[in-house]
Structures are given as C-alpha cells and as structure tokens.
Amino acid sequence: MAPALPRVGRRTVEALLAANVEALRERSLVLVHGQYAPGAPPRFTITLDGAARRVHVRDEASVLGVLAALHEHRTGAAPSDVLVVTTGVDDEQLGWDVRGRAVRRKTLTVENAEVVLQRFGATALDPRMYRERWLLEALVDAEPAESGWPRVGGVLTRDTALRALTAERLGLGSVHDSTDQDGQVALDADTLLAWSRTPAGPLRFAELGATERAELKKWLAEVAGSAVPVLLSLAESGPGHDALALGLLGAALRDPSAEPDTVLALGGLFGQVMPRRSELAAFTDAVEGTLTRWIADALTSQDARQRVVAVLDRADELADTAGLAPGLATSRFLPSSFTAQLRRTVAESLRSPASGEAALADLLGHALVGLRSEHVRAAETAVRVARWLSGPDPAITTVADAVRAHVSDWGWVDRALTVLWAGDPDGDLETGRDLRALYERARDRRRRLDEEFARRLAAWAAHATPQHPDGCLVVENVLDTVVRPLAAQTAPLLLVLDGMSSAVAAQLGEEAERDGWREIVPRPETGEPPSRLAAVSMLPSITRVSRASLLTGAATSGGQSTETAGFSTFWKKRRKTAALFHKAAIGGEAGHALSHELMTALASDTVVGVVLNTIDEALDNGRQGRGTTWALADVTHLRELLAAARGYGRPVVIVADHGHVLERGSRNDTATAAEGAESARWHTGGPACDGEIAIHGPRVREGAGAVILPWREDIRYTGRRAGYHGGASLAEITVPVIVLLPAGEDGPKDWVPLPREQSTPSWWQTPATSVAPASAAMTAGQTSKSAPEQSSPARPKAYTQATPPAEARPLAAVEAGARAVESLGGTVVSSEVYAAQKEYVRKAPEAKVVASVIDALDTAGGTMSPAALAAAISATGRVRRNIEGFIATVQRLLNVEGYPVLGFIDGGHAVKLDIPLLREQFLPKQKNDGTGQHEKREERA
C-alpha cells in the first residue's frame, strides 16, 4: 500500500511560491508532491515580487489530469497567472515535456520545516523542532487562514511555536479576557478553564490527532500548571464542558477520611479520566481560584454573573445526582452549601448571639457572599437582633430620652424588623420560619417600648410648648435651633423628606457619608457622646400639622400655601431671603434634572427648602410588601439636590415632618371601627381602647386639642396601605434630623462631626472575631473586628443619646498607628509585591497615603466607615472627595490576582481590610512574633 500523500494547504502553496519567486518570473507552472486539502480555495491572489498574481490550484492523480490542467491553464488563464498542480505522479511518469515547463523542472517536495520558517518570517528554527514531525505538520496545517502566523523576525523557538499552535487549535482567541498585558494569548489555568465553557472548546481538542493531543497536554502541563492535564483529559473523554463543576466537586476528597462511596461517586462523574488524589487536588485548587476571580468580576458584570451561576448551579446538580451533597455541606462555592449555612446562621441566632456570630463567620467565608447581598443582610440582621435581644430591657423615663434613643438605637431595630419581616429572599421555608421567630421576639420588646412611650407622651403633651419643651427638640423649633445656626455661615439647603422614619434615616445617613458627606451635630456637654438629632412631631403626627409647623417655625396646620408663606416669613424676620419648592416646581425641563428657578435659588444666598414626597407617597400608593432598603436614589430628586448643594458648598439638613409604621398585618386584617376616625391612625371618639392612648394639650392641633392615637402598629382605621402615620408610636412621633456638610467644608462653631461609628448602635456593629483562616479570608464581606468604645465630647442634655455609643477606635489611636515606624502599612508599601502591583496602576497614590489606609484600618480592627477612614488619613496627603473612587484605586494596588484584600462591605457603607490575606499576599515570609505585626503564611485551603 502506497504511503499517504502529504497534505498541502493554501499556506503551504504560498510558502512554496514565495521561496521560488525568481523562477516564477519565467515559468507559471508549479508541480507539488502531495494532495491539496479538501475545502482549500482553488483560486486566490498572492503578491510575488511586488506584483499581484492569480493562483490556480488543481489536484490531479494521473498524468492525463496533469496534462489537462496544464492545457486549460495555457488556453484560458492570463499570462501572469500561476498554475499549481498537486499530485502523486512521479517525475518519470510526467515526462520532460511537462517538467520542462515547471519551476525547477521537477515536482517540488514539501519540506514542512522550510514552510514553517517562511510562514513565521523566521531566520532559523529551534533545533528541537526538526525532531518533532508532528509539530511541523500541525503548524503547516493549522495556520490561520486570514491573518497567518505572527511574524517573529528571528529564531522561532519551540515555545513560541507551541503557544501559537495551541491558541489556534483550541480557539483561545475567542475566550473573554484571554490576553495578557503584551497582547499575547495568556496560557494559564484561568484561560483554559474559561475555554472549557466556550461552545466548541473541548470538542476542538478532542478532534485533534492522538499524538498532537498528547504532546499539547504535556507541554501545557509545564507552562500552565498541573491542573491542565485533568482538564484536557475531560475534554478528550466528553465532560469537558462540566470541568469547572467537576473541579468544585473534587473538594469532597480533601477530607482524608472521605467515605469509599464518595470516591466511587466522583469516579462515576469523572469516568475513565478519574485522576489521582494529588492531581484532583491541584485541579480543584485551580478551579476554585478561577471561580474566585470570576465571582469578583460578577459583582459588576451581569454576563460574568450568569457565567458563574451556570457553573455553580451545574455543580449542585451533579452533586445531588451523585449523592455528594452531604460531603460538600461546607463548600465555599456551592449554592446549596450557602443555603445550608444561611439556615444555620439564622437558627443559631435564635439560640444565642454568640452561636449566631460563629455561624455568620462561616457564612461570610462563602464565596457567594458578594453575589447574595440580600441573603447576607438577612443573616447579619438575625445576628444583630439577637444581640439586641440579649441586652438588658431598655426603659423609658422621659419623652426626650425616648426619641433620642429611638433615632440612635430603636429606629435601627425597626430597620432590622423590616428585613426579618421580608423573610428569606429565596422563600426558603426553614430560614423564613426562624426569621419570623426572631421578628416576633423583637417586635414584642418594641411593642412594650411603644406602650410605655405612649403613656409618657400623653403626660408630656398635656403641658409641652415650643417655649418649654421639657428637654425635647420639637419639630416647630427645628428651623430656629438647627437650621438658623447653619445659615449664619452659609445658606443651607433644607430637605424635608415627608414621612421619613428613623429606620429610613439610618440608611440614608450611611449612604450620604459614603458619598463624601460629613454628618455634624452640636457639640455635646462634657462627658456625653454626640448623637444624631431627633425632634418630636406635632400631634397627631400627620403632614398638614407637622410639616406646616416644621416649615413655619410655629405650631400650626395647613397646606403648601401655608408652608410657603410661613417659611418666607420665618427667614424674613431673621433678615434672610428664602424659597420653598414643592413637587412640580422641583424637576427641570428636558436635559435638566432640577428646575431653573431652583438652581437659581441654590446659586444665590437664599435659604432653600425642598419638600420631597417620595416616602409618603410610597406608603400610600406603592412599595407594598417586602422592600427592605431605602437608598438616596430611591427618593426622587434627592441625589441631584445633594449634588447641587455640594457644588455650591451648602450644608444640607435632611429632616422629616413625622415618621411612619409599615403594614405588617393589622389585627383581624381589617380596619378597626372608631368614632370620629379622620385618618388611618387617629380619631376623636373615646374612650381609648386596648392599644390606644388619649392625648390632649397645646401641641395637639386636631380634634379641638384632644385625640385618640394608637400606639400599636397593627391598628388602623381606614383601608389597607403600605404604611401609615398619625399615631403615637415611636416610629411615627420621632423626627430624625441629619445635618450634612460637603467634604472639606467647615461647620459652624461648636458643632462636631458624627462619623458612622458613633451614629450606629453597638449591637448593630460587627463584633470582634478570631482571625479567619486564609481560605475564608479570600472572600469579601467577612466578619470584622469592633474597636474599643470611643470617648467624645458630650452634647447638651436635650440631645443626649439614651443608649451606649457605637464602638470605635479613638481617632488619636488611629493616627498613632498610622505613624508607627514599624507599621503594617509601611511594611506592605516597602515590599516587592507592592512595587510590582504599582507598575500596573496609573497615578497611584503616594506610598505614605496607602500605608496610612492600611494602618488606620489595621488599628480599627479591619473595618471603618468611608468618612472615618478619610478623616484618619487626611493628614498624610490629599485624598479625593470621592472616597469610593480613592478606595477603588487602592484596591487595584492591594487586591493581588483579584483576591479581595480591600473592599466595601455592608452595602458599601463600610471599608473592610482583610488583614490575614493582606499579610499572606504581601508578606509571605514573615512569621508571627506575638505582636500581631507579622504572621506566618498559611496555605490556602
């Protein structure tokens, strides 16, 4: 049997023509020993000796066929056209008549080495390549049809040739983000694992010849790691598309005592290519590393998110089918293990805060934390509520203390209750049941507080006036007490968020601080901590009474016309011009977020007030049900107004006219019948029944000065809505007041900053925990340490916080840590790894600024609010007003290989530094000396 003819492709023909360009000036026939590849173009144009020449290729198996091709060419082709005939007929059979017309007067033999040399534009080949016939044949066969092989201009090394061949054979150019910084295809485990998910990726490898597959697998193992042979073996045998999912399931064998059934189940999934334990461990590590980086990408990319979810869901499906789920209950990646750990966290929180915190620490080590923020919020809220419930029963002594306690503590409980009421985001019955149990416990305690508050409120309201508020800040005094001192320096912007409760204010205040605003409060008396301002609404706590009294600075009632006239009159008496904007007067025309009149007022020295009805309208008309968060963007025009105020350097006062309670299932699910019911939460018919209180006095503006108000949140007198106001509960009566300054602006004399650490109750903050293992530290959003209680100047008794202050490191201690000579930050920025990272970051901050970020966070236990971090590092260098953008730049310096050393947690309201992971990445050789400055490097699990 005659040997098979060499296969000749277009690129081989082009190489032969280029090598014989001199001879082609006189002859136009080229005889080639071989067979033209099926599907290769029979006609194409090539540039030879500076001129374009048409090439015709014929594959003929006989002398007659060769003669016919030559005759047709001579009679029908242009003089400059070239005829290439591929054939297996030897020269003696062709005869001198045919050979005499051909280039070199003979049939040319294809020398693959010469073709490769010519096609790469190389001057020489790596000597090893001459001994590898398979490689030369593959390079000739695989050359890209359009672009050809890259030109090397020197010696073509074996690695360069194999890299080009691999990229072309496997189709790696179609893999997302597969190129390195030099524009070359990156041959690493990340790229190849991503390739396994492409539509034809594994099939392309499986279709290669056995020798070529074996040689590529061996070479890729050398350059891309020991995980690659397992991946390519899966591609050969069929389940290549499931390689990532199978790699995750391989974690079941990390336990040396794994049951034989587990080994058999995995063997069934891997089939004939079941690797040894050491090979499987390397493959699993590579898969988990790749998925960790993909998950980081998924935080900002929907496409990346879908890719990750597809892999993880498939892994869960395979695990369930093979009975592997029990052995993977502690997996850091499977959605089923995340669900199990979420269930456990909530269940343990019911037992005790300590048990819940331990379970939460495990949950926060899961890789899916960043992608399931609502689930994590539910788990964190469960632990927080458990902490609050474990504390001593709070007591109410005065109305003043109660509203201050509500804005600084109990309002956060209301915020937590909203999350617990919403249940598990996926509707998991077990988790939902335990969340409901926690909700009921906390609701009972809050109900007792509301009942006691209502009694105190009735006694207080009987004699309280704006002139003698008995230690309270009343809503009609907010303009004079809070806004007027600000106006003495710079005309403020007053934003009235109708219906904003303390729970909503807590969320908006956090986000405003993240956006670069600083909250300030009047300086407290010596020995007392600062806390957020809170006022008492008018009675009943309804818009036409409380908002009118707020905006006119006097106890009154009325609508927009009353508010507008009263607002102007108040400021006119204080020699200030003022303008108040409602609804239609706020929004601008096409292309403008805010109206021309509003922007003109903001650009002047006018005191500007704006009434935003989004929250109140949501209670009336929408947002029914399970919404748990309020962001700045959720309140129409709020972000635009804050941006405009920042642009003009105005302080901002965000204030409510009253709060609200949410619809969480009224008693008997029907309205309560009441005589003289004017709205959902008050009436004039008596006497007061269970859950109600009778209130009269000078600040009662309805019912001829006497009304009946419910203190229970589940009482309503009208139809069902998303929420209600007008009653006597703490959530309705308390009016939160947030005073904000643009970053870099100075506040009035005797006012002090109120960072988030001080405005947040201690039970809400994440407690100190033991150092997490390196494997868990690789994910963002982990449990962080709390710092010791902060000592701050006190404030007047009228604003005293009724609960313990939020725990935080004293600023002096943070600055001292940043200045330490042997500080962690200084060591990191002096490391070789940091120097290498800095090469890839344009306009990187100064090293001392980055060091101060690390040291401030290290001293504070790893977690700080953005505003507190900005304040702590302000002395070391100029930090942009956009702290979020600044942190993003520092992330690029510290997050080596995509691992989340630094990032935002808690919905972006806190900055988290993973200190163990930082040391592992930048200081791998340092050992723990007992001081916490150095730590032995741990292998990632």
Side-chain angles (χ1 to χ4, degrees):
M1 182 177 180
L5 294 174
R7 199 160 91 171
V8 179
R10 171 180 171 173
R11 295 304 185 189
T12 305
V13 171
E14 291 179 351
L16 288 173
L17 296 180
N20 294 276
V21 66
E22 294 289 338
L24 286 169
R25 291 175 181 172
E26 299 177 359
R27 291 175 170 77
S28 60
L29 173 64
V30 181
L31 299 173
V32 182
H33 179 67
Q35 181 180 22
Y36 198 50
R43 288 175 293 278
F44 55 87
T45 301
I46 185 175
T47 300
L48 296 171
D49 204 18
R53 300 185 68 174
R54 188 73 171 166
V55 178
H56 304 263
V57 183
R58 296 280 294 269
D59 187 74
E60 301 294 345
S62 66
V63 175
L64 290 177
V66 174
L67 291 173
L70 179 59
H71 175 73
E72 291 175 15
H73 181 74
R74 292 177 62 186
T75 57
S80 63
D81 287 4
V82 177
L83 173 65
V84 177
V85 179
T86 58
T87 183
V89 179
D90 58 36
D91 283 354
E92 291 184 359
Q93 290 178 291
L94 288 173
W96 278 106
D97 183 50
V98 175
R99 283 184 289 155
R101 300 174 183 277
V103 167
R104 296 190 186 181
R105 296 185 174 86
K106 65 177 182 178
T107 303
L108 303 181
T109 301
V110 176
E111 294 291 342
N112 285 331
E114 293 182 9
V115 174
V116 170
L117 196 71
Q118 194 272 337
R119 300 311 301 169
F120 277 91
T123 59
L125 291 184
D126 187 323
R128 293 174 294 177
M129 295 176 63
Y130 288 102
R131 300 191 296 271
E132 296 185 281
R133 179 179 176 183
W134 76 269
L135 176 56
L136 295 174
E137 290 178 351
L139 288 170
V140 170
D141 181 64
E143 183 176 7
E146 298 299 325
S147 59
W149 291 123
R151 315 296 282 182
V152 297
V155 176
L156 176 61
T157 66
R158 182 175 183 270
D159 278 351
T160 300
L162 281 167
R163 182 176 293 274
L165 176 64
T166 302
E168 181 61 24
R169 285 297 206 200
L170 303 188
L172 295 180
S174 63
V175 178
H176 174 69
D177 200 22
S178 63
T179 56
D180 58 23
Q181 58 185 352
D182 298 323
Q184 302 293 320
V185 172
L187 289 182
D188 52 27
D190 267 5
T191 301
L192 291 169
L193 286 168
W195 161 82
S196 74
R197 297 285 301 169
T198 58
L203 182 61
R204 292 180 67 142
F205 181 76
E207 290 177 341
L208 298 177
T211 300
E212 188 173 352
R213 292 200 310 271
E215 293 293 339
L216 289 179
K217 190 187 301 183
K218 181 170 65 176
W219 178 74
L220 283 170
E222 297 173 359
V223 300
S226 56
V228 173
V230 177
L231 169 62
L232 295 181
S233 294
L234 290 170
E236 283 180 301
S237 62
H241 287 298
D242 283 333
L244 281 158
L246 291 171
L248 287 181
L249 302 189
L253 292 188
R254 281 203 176 113
D255 183 359
S257 61
E259 296 291 334
D261 288 347
T262 300
V263 180
L264 289 174
L266 275 173
L269 292 173
F270 277 85
Q272 298 178 353
V273 298
M274 180 64 183
R276 295 190 296 269
R277 278 202 181 219
S278 59
E279 296 171 334
L280 182 58
F283 182 58
T284 293
D285 287 346
V287 167
E288 290 185 348
T290 293
L291 285 173
T292 297
R293 288 180 277 279
W294 285 13
I295 289 170
D297 292 340
L299 297 176
T300 55
S301 167
Q302 187 60 33
D303 288 343
R305 187 185 186 100
Q306 291 174 352
R307 177 175 58 174
V308 167
V309 169
V311 171
L312 299 183
D313 284 349
R314 178 59 175 163
D316 251 343
E317 180 184 342
L318 292 174
D320 185 61
T321 302
L324 287 169
L328 292 165
T330 59
S331 166
R332 292 181 50 247
F333 290 90
L334 294 183
S336 59
S337 66
F338 181 93
T339 299
Q341 292 175 40
L342 175 63
R343 287 176 181 171
R344 176 172 166 262
T345 300
V346 178
E348 291 298 322
S349 297
L350 273 170
R351 300 187 186 197
S352 72
S355 298
E357 286 161 8
L360 178 61
D362 291 338
L363 175 66
L364 294 179
H366 201 285
L368 289 180
V369 162
L371 298 182
R372 297 194 167 188
S373 58
E374 289 189 9
H375 303 76
V376 174
R377 183 183 298 114
E380 289 177 332
T381 301
V383 173
R384 286 164 171 163
V385 170
R387 288 193 210 115
W388 184 69
L389 288 170
S390 68
D393 278 339
I396 292 178
T397 56
T398 67
V399 171
D401 285 344
V403 295
R404 287 191 291 269
H406 188 262
V407 80
S408 60
D409 191 293
W410 306 332
W412 296 72
V413 178
D414 292 349
R415 176 183 179 183
L417 288 174
T418 303
V419 176
L420 297 184
W421 174 264
D424 178 67
D426 290 336
D428 182 72
L429 295 179
E430 186 175 333
T431 303
R433 179 197 64 208
D434 291 340
L435 288 173
R436 181 61 184 243
L438 270 171
Y439 169 84
E440 293 296 347
R441 290 184 190 179
R443 184 61 251 170
D444 286 345
R445 179 187 268 198
R446 276 288 291 109
R447 188 176 291 116
R448 291 193 297 272
L449 289 172
D450 280 335
E451 183 177 12
E452 179 60 26
F453 174 71
R455 288 198 293 267
R456 301 284 181 181
L457 180 67
W460 172 85
H463 59 80
T465 65
Q467 295 76 27
H468 301 285
D470 196 16
C472 294
L473 172 63
V474 291
V475 71
E476 61 268 40
N477 285 351
V478 168
L479 284 185
D480 196 54
T481 304
V482 179
V483 185
R484 186 173 58 83
L486 301 172
Q489 183 171 306
T490 305
L493 170 63
L494 175 68
L495 298 176
V496 181
L497 273 57
D498 197 327
M500 178 180 66
S501 65
S502 295
V504 175
Q507 300 176 58
L508 298 180
E510 283 181 348
E511 190 174 357
E513 185 180 62
R514 179 188 173 194
D515 280 2
W517 292 88
R518 289 190 304 132
E519 184 171 0
I520 60 172
V521 293
R523 185 184 302 279
E525 296 175 356
T526 304
E528 295 187 359
S531 65
R532 180 166 291 161
L533 300 174
V536 181
S537 74
M538 295 296 291
L539 300 170
S541 51
I542 56 175
T543 299
R544 70 172 179 267
V545 172
S546 272
R547 199 171 80 187
S549 299
L550 165 70
L551 291 170
T552 62
T556 189
S557 61
Q560 292 185 16
S561 58
T562 299
E563 294 168 359
T564 301
F567 189 71
S568 178
T569 300
F570 175 90
W571 289 107
K572 186 175 182 180
K573 289 178 179 179
R574 289 151 183 85
R575 300 181 180 179
K576 297 280 186 182
T577 58
L580 183 62
F581 295 83
H582 292 85
K583 293 189 175 181
I586 302 171
E589 299 176 351
H592 301 277
L594 302 175
S595 68
H596 175 73
E597 293 77 13
L598 176 53
M599 291 301 295
T600 300
L602 288 171
S604 69
D605 293 329
T606 299
V607 177
V608 177
V610 181
V611 177
L612 301 176
N613 297 92
T614 301
I615 296 172
D616 197 46
E617 290 174 353
L619 300 175
D620 281 345
N621 306 314
R623 205 158 189 172
Q624 175 80 32
R626 321 303 270 186
T628 62
T629 60
W630 277 97
L632 296 178
D634 293 332
V635 181
T636 306
H637 301 305
L638 180 54
R639 270 202 178 280
E640 294 85 354
L641 286 163
L642 287 173
R646 192 201 321 266
Y648 292 113
R650 283 177 176 257
V652 174
V653 179
I654 300 178
V655 63
D657 50 353
H658 53 73
H660 66 263
V661 293
L662 294 172
E663 171 59 56
R664 293 187 179 128
S666 303
R667 289 189 295 185
N668 301 322
D669 205 33
T670 58
T672 300
E675 182 182 347
E678 296 284 344
S679 69
R681 294 281 288 172
W682 70 276
H683 66 93
T684 56
C689 300
D690 178 40
E692 299 177 331
I693 192 79
I695 295 182
H696 69 277
R699 299 188 72 255
V700 179
R701 302 297 300 180
E702 298 288 342
V707 292
I708 304 295
L709 306 179
W711 55 263
R712 287 182 61 112
E713 70 170 24
D714 57 355
I715 295 176
R716 57 180 171 84
Y717 308 119
T718 57
R720 181 190 294 271
R721 294 180 179 176
Y724 317 96
H725 58 88
S729 71
L730 277 159
E732 295 165 283
I733 296 296
T734 302
V735 174
V737 183
I738 304 174
V739 182
L740 301 174
L741 281 182
E745 299 291 337
D746 295 327
K749 183 181 179 182
D750 295 329
W751 287 59
V752 296
L754 182 69
R756 189 168 74 93
E757 285 81 352
Q758 293 175 277
S759 64
T760 307
S762 57
W763 58 266
W764 185 273
Q765 298 189 48
T766 306
T769 60
S770 58
V771 175
S775 61
M778 289 165 61
T779 59
Q782 285 184 276
T783 306
S784 61
K785 299 178 182 178
S786 287
E789 185 174 318
Q790 177 164 353
S791 58
S792 304
R795 57 185 311 151
K797 184 163 183 66
Y799 309 109
T800 304
Q801 183 173 335
T803 54
E807 295 182 350
R809 289 272 187 179
L811 183 57
V814 176
E815 293 173 343
R819 292 192 298 268
V821 176
E822 297 295 332
S823 69
L824 176 62
T827 306
V828 167
V829 299
S830 300
S831 68
E832 293 181 1
V833 178
Y834 181 82
Q837 284 288 103
K838 192 174 180 181
E839 293 294 322
Y840 301 103
V841 180
R842 295 179 63 245
K843 298 182 179 180
E846 295 180 73
K848 66 178 183 179
V849 177
V850 178
S852 70
V853 170
I854 295 171
D855 292 331
L857 286 162
D858 185 29
T859 305
T863 305
M864 296 180 76
S865 67
L869 179 59
I873 66 176
S874 60
T876 61
R878 185 173 181 270
V879 179
R880 291 178 296 178
R881 289 187 175 186
N882 180 7
I883 185 68
E884 185 176 8
F886 171 76
I887 292 299
T889 301
V890 180
Q891 280 181 296
R892 295 178 62 197
L893 290 166
L894 300 185
N895 290 6
V896 179
E897 298 179 351
Y899 290 106
V901 174
L902 179 73
F904 285 101
I905 61 172
D906 194 15
H909 298 307
V911 181
K912 165 71 176 175
L913 177 68
D914 192 323
I915 297 170
L917 185 56
L918 174 78
R919 291 194 175 111
E920 182 182 357
Q921 296 285 26
F922 289 90
L923 314 172
K925 297 180 181 179
Q926 295 187 353
K927 297 181 179 180
N928 190 354
D929 63 359
T931 65
Q933 289 296 322
H934 307 296
E935 187 172 284
K936 181 179 179 179
R937 184 181 187 184
E938 298 177 315
E939 292 295 330
R940 293 191 184 95

